Amino acid sequence: MDLPPVNLAELLRHPDDLDKITALKAEFMRKKAAVDSQLRSGLREQLETTQAGMNGLADGQRTVQQIKEEMMKIDKICSESQDMITDFATINLVSQAHRNFGAVETMRRNLETFSERLDAIDRMLNEDDEDPENMPNLLAIHYELTQLRNIRDDAIEQIQRGDDPGLQSTLEDYFSRLDKYIEWFDVNITLVAMSLINLVIADNNSLVVRFALIIEAEEKSDQRVLALQEALKDHKEMATRFQSITDGAKTVRGYKDKFLKAIKTFAEDQFKESKEKFLGDPDMLDKSLKWYFNDLNAVKIGMTPLMPKKWKIFKTWATIYHGLMHDYLIGLIDDPETSSAHTLAIISWPEAYYRKMTKLGMKQDELTPHVIDNREAELVRDFRALIIKFLDEWIDRIYKQECKDFVDRNVEGGNLDQDEYGYFRTKNLVDLWRMLREQVDAAGNSKRADVVEGVIDTMFQRLRTRQQSWQKMLEDEAARYEVQPPQGQPELDGFQPLQDWLVATANDQIACIDDNEDEGRMAYLSDFRRKFSTLVSPQYMDRAETEITALRDGYVDLSTWCMTKFAQLVFAVDFRTVMPDFFTPRWYTTNAMARMIATFEEYVSDYKMVLHHSLVDIFIEIFAEELLIRYLSSVRNKGAKFRRQDNFQDKIFDDLSTAFDFFNNLPNPDVGNAIKETWRVSEPFLQLLTVDKEAVPDAFAEFKSQYWDLQISWVEAVLRSRDDFERSMLNAVKARAAQMDVVRGPETIMSKGVGSSMHIMIPAFVSYSEDIFESK
């Protein structure tokens, strides 16, 4: 019947498909007939099943009715049999009198010998007290006590039917001595019950068997009493007939329950000792509970053959013990005295516990509830949360101290440290990584990979957040110097210490990732990776490598950002009054480029000894690129205009030669060549300024072919700065741009903020800085 739905729209899509209607109708009729046949077959089966069930119910009702009729016949025969016997009433009366006489005679004899029998019990109990390891009279004492208790119960019952309170009080006084010996015997029974494990280990099987016989006899007696009490509830009239002739106990004595309670009490005492050991030493959990499995093993091997099979003594014992183990562990988990180390030991315990119980023959699904209520995941989360709480507190404390140090950076002599190489460093980075290693150790002490992995995940996240927080703190402070200060406000207050902090922060990032193989010294991040790699699973380590790579890239990015921000601050503060003059009439009468290069040379000279050596070349390249971007963007300066009569080409050549002289004299020729290659953009820039108006579209096309990300807005600014600018020139450029099919390639200088006032260029130097680190 699982047929796909029919979509007529799909079957009859074209007019020619109408010819198929007859065939389709026949096909659907055939399928309908098959479905109808299956439905009729299923309905027939359901009717047969229902009919069989109804027949079964009818047969059951008939059987019950037959039993009822047979019982009525038996009752009728019993009633009629009395009339069949001549003088039945007289015989019955004499029989009752004889039974009553015998019962009275027996009661009299029992009362006369009651005290003597108690004395005998007294002697036997004293003998057992002298030999507590064997208690040779235990079985005999139980037999005698049972008889005397039955005598007392019968007598009290007879008196209660006689409705004579005075006689009942006399009898109770007479039987009062019995309670003393019952209590004495119960103490001995409890003592044996509490010592069963030791008795089995000592091969004292005789006492164990006698104890089992006593408990079994009491269990049967209790079952009979309970059955009689149940009968009294439902069939009071019938039960009353037999109550007077029923021998034996009249009340439940509960020795089986006392036996089970003794097992529990015996274990509870040992759990108390185990708790003291465990609280003293979290590593003692396994050893402190060694008795637990030894007891169960003794029960399984030594006690099971000595006890009634119906008791299933090992399973009973294991169930009681398991319940206590559950309560013990849950109590420890919720106990305020327990530490995280105790919780960790408990988390790891269920696996070992169930493994040992399985060896003893008890499967996990037979032991309910779960030994710690399946709270492993919750406890792992709690422990992880505890470590993470300490981690966050430490990181927050360190960051607050760093912020305070940053705010107080204007103190005399500065508040930065210098490492063994003389590089500027902040004060708290060492403390941060030491704290991380300590928290990794704390997580590793759990000996659980899931705990360590959760903590490491959090550390990755916090380290990424720390990178972002540092960048924001520095950026917010730098923003104060990148805007024109209000009149009269000291604009350079804290500026030079800010530059020092940018250098120190960049150095810190390199220290996190700069492994020195020659000196055998690992960077903080590599040492951190080595620290946790042995504590996590291989699967997690694969994922962690991605996180490590991301962190490493983040440190490179932040160090490069610091250098970029340093360069931008130089332009924002040192060159604030210089840059607006470029390409204006004032530009022709000044030597701004030479002064800017000289200023930067001073910065490099001042900081190259305190800046990590791998960042010096990056710093120079960043400045050179920033200078080029600012230079090209100056076409937007107010009053910028290139007039043919002013001979601006010579002035541009002079600026470029000044810059190239500096690049040629750099200590690292590779860096100088790379910078000069970037500055080659000045050639097509000059072409846009100098070609004839008719050739401007061609100059633009050539420029665009070399620099695919050349922006029309900047080209427009260049053209408008020409003294012969006409609107038709810009329209021609736009028309040529629309005709060009430019292939996108790597990012060039023309998309790195040319014409804007703020430039962030971190990604441009990531690959370069990584090459430097790898070459080391």
Side-chain angles (χ1 to χ4, degrees):
M1 296 178 65
D2 295 333
L3 300 176
V6 177
N7 190 341
L8 290 177
E10 294 294 329
L11 296 176
L12 304 175
R13 299 176 61 182
H14 306 287
D16 294 342
D17 292 336
L18 294 176
D19 297 337
K20 302 178 183 178
I21 291 179
T22 304
L24 291 173
K25 182 177 180 181
E27 177 67 13
F28 292 152
M29 291 297 294
R30 184 185 62 79
K31 292 181 178 180
K32 180 178 181 298
V35 172
D36 290 343
S37 176
Q38 293 184 31
L39 289 173
R40 285 194 295 271
S41 176
L43 180 59
R44 188 184 307 109
E45 291 177 359
Q46 291 296 325
L47 288 173
E48 291 175 353
T49 302
T50 304
Q51 187 62 45
M54 294 176 65
N55 293 338
L57 290 173
D59 292 341
Q61 290 177 346
R62 284 194 296 270
T63 302
V64 171
Q65 184 62 31
Q66 290 174 359
I67 294 173
K68 184 177 180 181
E69 292 174 354
E70 291 297 325
M71 293 294 293
M72 293 174 64
K73 290 179 182 179
I74 292 172
D75 184 68
K76 182 178 179 181
I77 293 173
C78 290
S79 299
E80 293 174 350
S81 64
Q82 297 179 9
D83 298 332
M84 296 171 62
I85 301 175
T86 307
D87 299 329
F88 177 82
T90 303
I91 295 172
N92 186 40
L93 182 61
V94 172
S95 175
Q96 289 180 1
H98 185 269
R99 285 198 304 271
N100 291 339
F101 180 80
V104 171
E105 181 65 21
T106 301
M107 179 61 69
R108 181 189 64 79
R109 186 167 57 251
N110 288 335
L111 291 174
E112 290 177 348
T113 60
F114 194 85
S115 180
E116 180 181 346
R117 295 170 71 175
L118 282 178
D119 292 339
I121 292 174
D122 182 273
R123 288 192 299 272
M124 289 189 289
L125 285 169
N126 280 302
E127 291 176 4
D128 282 0
D129 284 351
E130 294 175 0
D131 188 8
E133 296 181 358
N134 295 303
M135 294 190 184
N137 301 312
L138 189 67
L139 204 58
I141 294 171
H142 173 259
Y143 176 79
E144 283 297 317
L145 280 177
T146 300
Q147 297 299 316
L148 296 183
R149 291 170 85 165
N150 292 342
I151 292 171
R152 179 185 64 181
D153 293 346
D154 288 342
I156 295 297
E157 185 181 49
Q158 295 294 333
I159 288 297
Q160 288 175 345
R161 283 205 294 268
D163 196 20
D164 190 341
L167 289 176
Q168 181 175 343
S169 176
T170 302
L171 271 178
E172 289 175 351
D173 292 340
Y174 185 77
F175 293 131
S176 61
R177 283 184 61 201
L178 179 61
D179 292 331
K180 167 189 172 183
Y181 296 106
I182 292 174
E183 293 176 3
W184 192 347
F185 174 76
D186 288 350
V187 169
N188 288 352
I189 284 292
T190 302
L191 180 62
V192 175
M194 297 282 288
S195 306
L196 284 175
I197 298 294
N198 295 329
L199 293 173
V200 169
I201 294 174
D203 290 331
N204 193 348
N205 296 341
S206 172
L207 184 54
V208 175
V209 171
R210 284 180 280 132
F211 171 83
L213 290 172
I214 292 172
I215 300 301
E216 184 181 25
E218 290 292 337
E219 182 183 31
K220 291 178 179 178
S221 174
D222 289 347
Q223 290 173 350
R224 186 180 60 82
V225 171
L226 289 172
L228 181 59
Q229 292 175 351
E230 194 67 26
L232 283 172
K233 291 180 183 178
D234 300 333
H235 310 284
K236 294 183 178 180
E237 182 179 350
M238 180 184 70
T240 304
R241 300 179 185 177
F242 298 96
Q243 187 175 9
S244 60
I245 61 173
T246 301
D247 295 329
K250 300 297 187 295
T251 59
V252 174
R253 294 168 185 168
Y255 276 85
K256 180 68 178 293
D257 292 338
K258 292 177 183 178
F259 168 42
L260 299 178
K261 184 178 179 181
I263 297 174
K264 186 175 181 180
T265 303
F266 174 71
E268 286 174 341
D269 292 341
Q270 297 188 84
F271 272 118
K272 290 178 182 178
E273 297 179 7
S274 297
K275 182 177 181 180
E276 294 178 3
K277 295 178 181 178
F278 177 54
L279 291 178
D281 183 0
D283 295 331
M284 287 291 292
L285 181 60
D286 192 7
K287 292 182 179 179
S288 68
L289 293 172
K290 190 175 181 180
W291 61 267
Y292 182 94
F293 303 101
N294 290 339
D295 284 3
L296 292 179
N297 189 54
V299 172
K300 180 179 180 180
I301 296 175
M303 194 178 299
T304 301
L306 308 179
M307 297 284 182
K309 288 185 178 181
K310 64 179 180 179
W311 284 0
K312 297 180 181 178
I313 190 62
F314 173 68
K315 184 176 182 180
T316 301
W317 209 291
T319 301
I320 294 173
Y321 267 38
H322 175 75
L324 294 173
M325 176 67 79
H326 166 269
D327 296 343
Y328 170 69
L329 294 177
I330 295 299
L332 286 172
I333 291 172
D334 298 333
D335 191 342
E337 294 184 17
T338 56
S339 65
S340 57
H342 296 102
T343 303
L344 279 176
I346 295 172
I347 293 173
S348 303
W349 176 244
E351 182 179 354
Y353 171 76
Y354 283 114
R355 185 173 61 250
K356 292 181 180 182
M357 293 299 288
T358 300
K359 288 182 179 179
L360 288 171
M362 292 294 294
K363 297 180 180 179
Q364 182 172 347
D365 55 3
E366 297 177 302
L367 299 168
T368 55
H370 185 272
V371 70
I372 60 171
D373 292 338
N374 291 305
R375 291 173 62 180
E376 294 100 321
E378 171 195 342
L379 297 175
V380 167
R381 286 195 302 270
D382 290 346
F383 183 72
R384 278 203 306 256
L386 181 63
I387 296 178
I388 292 170
K389 175 176 176 288
F390 290 136
L391 175 70
D392 287 341
E393 288 176 354
W394 269 99
I395 291 178
D396 185 60
R397 191 179 302 118
I398 289 173
Y399 184 66
K400 286 181 179 178
Q401 182 60 45
E402 289 170 333
C403 291
K404 183 178 183 300
D405 292 342
F406 182 62
V407 171
D408 298 337
R409 64 185 182 277
N410 290 327
V411 297
E412 184 178 355
N415 56 0
L416 293 172
D417 286 337
Q418 289 183 277
D419 61 16
E420 64 270 28
Y421 303 105
Y423 302 149
F424 278 164
R425 298 284 297 278
T426 61
K427 293 183 176 181
N428 296 286
L429 187 66
V430 175
D431 293 338
L432 172 73
W433 286 104
R434 182 174 61 248
M435 180 274 296
L436 292 178
R437 289 194 297 271
E438 290 173 354
Q439 296 306 317
V440 171
D441 288 334
N445 290 335
S446 68
K447 297 180 175 59
R448 291 185 63 94
D450 53 353
V451 172
V452 180
E453 291 168 5
V455 172
I456 298 301
D457 278 338
T458 302
M459 289 180 175
F460 285 145
Q461 181 183 1
R462 300 300 187 269
L463 287 172
R464 288 194 300 270
T465 302
R466 175 179 167 81
Q467 292 173 346
Q468 298 164 3
S469 300
W470 262 94
Q471 181 171 333
K472 186 177 186 306
M473 179 180 71
L474 294 170
E475 190 166 23
D476 290 345
E477 184 65 16
R480 294 200 304 116
Y481 304 96
E482 292 177 327
V483 296
Q484 186 70 31
Q487 189 68 27
Q489 179 177 336
E491 63 178 45
L492 297 181
D493 181 30
F495 176 68
Q496 191 272 326
L498 173 60
Q499 293 175 311
D500 293 347
W501 271 76
L502 286 170
V503 169
T505 303
N507 290 337
D508 282 351
Q509 311 315 304
I510 302 304
C512 291
I513 57 177
D514 184 24
D515 296 324
N516 194 326
E517 297 179 359
D518 295 336
E519 298 181 7
R521 180 169 55 84
M522 301 177 70
Y524 292 122
L525 185 60
S526 298
D527 183 63
F528 176 64
R529 178 192 177 281
R530 179 190 58 79
K531 184 78 172 176
F532 73 76
S533 61
T534 58
L535 305 175
V536 299
S537 64
Q539 295 79 8
Y540 178 82
M541 200 60 206
D542 293 340
R543 180 161 59 87
E545 292 294 353
T546 303
E547 295 285 354
I548 291 291
T549 301
L551 276 175
R552 187 180 299 276
D553 292 344
Y555 289 126
V556 173
D557 291 349
L558 183 54
S559 66
T560 310
W561 180 89
C562 290
M563 294 295 94
T564 303
K565 184 56 64 176
F566 192 115
Q568 291 173 352
L569 286 172
V570 170
F571 281 91
V573 176
D574 295 79
F575 305 152
R576 174 175 291 162
T577 59
V578 176
M579 292 307 302
D581 293 339
F582 274 92
F583 306 150
T584 66
R586 184 178 175 81
W587 170 55
Y588 295 94
T589 61
T590 61
N591 195 11
M593 179 63 76
R595 286 189 286 119
M596 291 168 65
I597 293 295
T599 300
F600 183 66
E601 284 183 312
E602 291 180 6
Y603 272 117
V604 173
S605 176
D606 290 342
Y607 281 99
K608 68 180 180 180
M609 301 305 298
V610 296
L611 178 63
H612 194 279
H613 63 274
S614 64
L615 291 174
V616 174
D617 290 340
I618 295 176
F619 181 37
I620 295 172
E621 186 172 359
I622 288 173
F623 175 80
E625 188 161 311
E626 184 71 15
L627 177 59
L628 177 59
I629 292 172
R630 303 271 183 164
Y631 189 76
L632 295 177
S633 299
S634 295
V635 295
R636 298 180 184 274
N637 283 343
K638 185 177 181 181
K641 186 66 69 175
F642 296 98
R643 296 181 176 87
R644 298 298 185 274
Q645 65 270 23
D646 293 337
N647 199 15
F648 64 85
Q649 296 182 59
D650 292 342
K651 184 59 178 174
I652 291 177
F653 284 141
D654 183 59
D655 288 344
L656 295 178
S657 63
T658 301
F660 272 64
D661 286 343
F662 171 66
F663 303 149
N664 288 327
N665 293 324
L666 291 176
N668 189 340
D670 294 336
V671 175
N673 292 333
I675 294 174
K676 287 188 291 184
E677 188 62 33
T678 303
W679 275 66
R680 297 297 178 192
V681 72
S682 60
E683 296 174 1
F685 164 62
L686 191 58
Q687 285 292 316
L688 283 177
L689 291 174
T690 58
V691 297
D692 294 336
K693 290 187 290 183
E694 295 78 9
V696 167
D698 294 333
F700 165 76
E702 185 177 355
F703 200 160
K704 186 71 173 179
S705 64
Q706 297 178 38
Y707 298 88
W708 66 271
D709 46 4
L710 177 64
Q711 301 175 23
I712 289 292
S713 60
W714 178 78
V715 174
E716 180 180 355
V718 173
L719 296 178
R720 288 183 181 277
S721 67
R722 291 176 52 135
D723 58 350
D724 59 348
F725 171 74
E726 294 179 359
R727 186 71 186 179
S728 59
M729 296 167 57
L730 180 59
N731 293 336
V733 167
K734 290 182 178 179
R736 178 63 65 88
Q739 297 171 2
M740 295 183 66
D741 185 12
V742 179
V743 178
R744 297 176 64 89
E747 185 182 59
T748 73
I749 188 68
M750 299 311 299
S751 63
K752 295 180 180 178
V754 172
S756 64
S757 59
M758 297 297 292
H759 320 291
I760 304 298
M761 301 175 294
I762 293 175
F765 304 97
V766 171
S767 60
Y768 175 73
S769 56
E770 287 178 343
D771 291 340
I772 290 178
F773 300 145
E774 290 175 0
S775 66
K776 287 182 65 221

